[in-house]
Amino acid sequence: MQTLLRIDASARADGSHTRALADHFQARWQEACPEGEVIWRSLADDPVPHLTDGLIQAFQASGDARGAASHLSDTLIEELRRADHVLISSPLYNLNVPSPLKAWFDHVVRSGETFAAEPDGYRGLLDGKRATVIAGRGGLDSGTGTDDFQSPYLKAILAFIGIEAVDMVTLEETAMPDPIRLKAWACARLQVDRLFGRDGAGPRWIGEFSDDDRRQIDDLRGGQSDAIVKGDARAYADLCAEDIQLLIPGREAVAGRTAFLEAEEQLFLHATFASFRKRPLSIERSGNLAIEVGLQEVAMDDDGNRGGIFASRQKYTHVFRLCESGWRFAVLMSNPCE
Ligand SMILES: Cc1cc2nc3c(=O)[nH]c(=O)nc-3n(C[C@H](O)[C@H](O)[C@H](O)COP(=O)(O)O)c2cc1C
């Protein structure tokens, strides 16, 4: 049985964006592991105290000499040991992690328990675990590395105790007005969905595909979802062959990249996607073409489906073509599911 340890660090119970995204992650994880166990710690509801002189002495003592002082720390470490996957949802507070999350780490990062001090350096003792960090913030990362000490800290401290396989999900612009906030939310949700799409949920590959062919086609599919959720028609058109054809029942057929770009720009003006999830079922190669069929699930913002263009569940057929620059979308078709 798999175990998910979920740590929520937001001080807010209602209206917390990072908790809401952690809810989505947990729902996807439970879909993937229906028998799995979830251990949930909300640091706002159940705070971990800051370190004290007595506690540090207890950590340094051995066996019975520790007394009851280290009981909470022992319990938190035991939860961590039991976990196969650790999920941390954490907002940026004044450029860093919320202090309750720092206190949680101060209780679980313990010499001889989760790391060892060895002659040639420190060694993390928690092998074989994966972690996902949902890092939320009100604004945008400036890219200077001086306004977000949270993400580097979390990666470093998890690696310190031996958890090196860490997926970072960034949820930005939570303090921005709609539709900026909604678009940023959809992008973060897509990052979570892609974590689950990655493991085993790919199509059945029929015919000769090299590893590079598969990677390129997977990247096209991922790039398409990113571009659609961000409403970036240019990025979407860049994934397409020069003579791309878009065939959607009830709408005029579109042929050629220029017409495709215009059509998508118009579409994104009138439709805002909350999520776009693809489940490729099979892909078959025939020469320099590959034909994929699958299902796509589309969620629109309340006001974002003006004209009712999109059904929530669609079957799709895509043709990819191997062009000089690599694989590209050549034909995009979709039909609503009954
Ligand atoms: C005390 C405090 C400090 C914050 N500091 C930052 C910051 O340094 N940079 C930033 O982009 N957002 C900052 N924010 C915004 C939060 O990161 C943002 O509102 C986030 O969505 C909060 O998480 P939650 O929605 O899960 O509660 C701060 C918010 C609070 C309450």
Side-chain angles (χ1 to χ4, degrees), residues 16-324:
S16 159
H17 300 286
T18 51
R19 275 175 198 254
L21 196 57
D23 286 343
H24 178 61
F25 181 100
Q26 183 179 327
R28 294 298 313 266
W29 186 88
Q30 284 177 308
E31 258 174 52
C33 307
E35 309 289 320
E37 170 202 26
V38 178
I39 305 171
W40 180 37
R41 285 228 165 235
S42 163
L43 300 179
D45 299 322
D46 200 3
V48 173
H50 289 295
L51 293 184
T52 58
D53 185 8
L55 203 46
I56 291 172
Q57 285 184 35
F59 289 170
Q60 288 166 349
S62 54
D64 291 345
R66 281 189 192 137
S70 67
H71 179 69
L72 175 62
S73 165
D74 295 341
T75 304
L76 298 177
I77 289 174
E78 192 44 41
E79 289 175 355
L80 196 48
R81 284 206 185 101
R82 257 171 57 202
D84 301 284
H85 200 120
V86 181
L87 169 65
I88 296 174
S89 77
S90 177
L92 191 64
Y93 281 173
N94 301 321
L95 316 188
N96 216 322
V97 289
S99 58
L101 182 57
K102 177 66 168 58
W104 181 81
F105 274 108
D106 288 340
H107 278 68
V108 298
V109 180
R110 267 175 61 191
S111 179
E113 301 288 342
T114 52
F115 75 93
E118 296 184 339
D120 53 349
Y122 295 107
R123 185 169 60 88
L125 297 177
L126 300 178
D127 294 334
K129 299 184 192 300
R130 233 197 140 83
T132 301
V133 170
I134 292 174
R137 65 182 298 172
L140 263 182
D141 188 337
S142 68
T144 60
T146 55
D147 58 0
D148 176 6
F149 294 90
Q150 152 159 276
S151 299
Y153 166 71
L154 289 174
K155 276 188 257 181
I157 197 72
L158 286 166
F160 188 76
I161 54 176
I163 307 179
E164 310 249 5
V166 181
D167 294 306
M168 299 298 295
V169 174
T170 46
L171 169 60
E172 296 187 302
E173 297 182 297
T174 62
M176 296 293 150
D178 296 349
I180 298 172
R181 186 181 60 81
L182 292 172
K183 210 167 256 187
W185 167 263
C187 290
R189 205 181 131 108
L190 188 64
Q191 291 172 52
V192 170
D193 289 338
R194 286 174 72 177
L195 293 179
F196 289 91
R198 180 181 58 189
D199 298 326
R204 189 160 63 92
W205 299 85
I206 305 164
E208 291 271 308
F209 289 96
S210 67
D211 287 349
D212 190 48
D213 293 330
R214 290 174 190 232
R215 186 190 51 74
Q216 282 195 36
I217 289 172
D218 286 343
D219 286 351
L220 280 179
R221 215 183 289 112
Q224 180 196 34
S225 302
D226 281 344
I228 287 177
V229 166
K230 286 181 185 152
D232 188 340
R234 168 64 58 191
Y236 194 3
D238 286 346
L239 306 173
C240 299
E242 203 55 56
D243 58 350
I244 178 72
Q245 293 186 54
L246 176 66
L247 305 168
I248 297 178
R251 294 178 61 206
E252 208 175 315
V254 173
R257 198 146 62 179
T258 308
F260 178 83
L261 180 61
E262 281 168 16
E264 290 299 323
E265 277 170 351
Q266 280 303 313
L267 180 70
F268 293 149
L269 280 181
H270 298 290
T272 316
F273 293 81
S275 70
F276 183 85
R277 184 170 162 191
K278 291 180 89 100
R279 293 168 192 259
L281 298 175
S282 69
I283 178 162
E284 182 162 6
R285 177 139 189 194
S286 168
N288 67 346
L289 297 178
I291 301 171
E292 177 171 297
V293 292
L295 294 169
Q296 56 196 30
E297 289 172 1
V298 179
M300 314 295 294
D301 288 334
D302 291 346
D303 193 30
N305 196 17
R306 288 182 283 275
I309 304 169
F310 288 97
S312 57
R313 274 171 61 79
Q314 302 165 1
K315 287 180 184 156
Y316 73 82
T317 303
H318 291 344
V319 179
F320 300 95
R321 186 188 308 122
L322 186 54
C323 305
E324 271 183 15

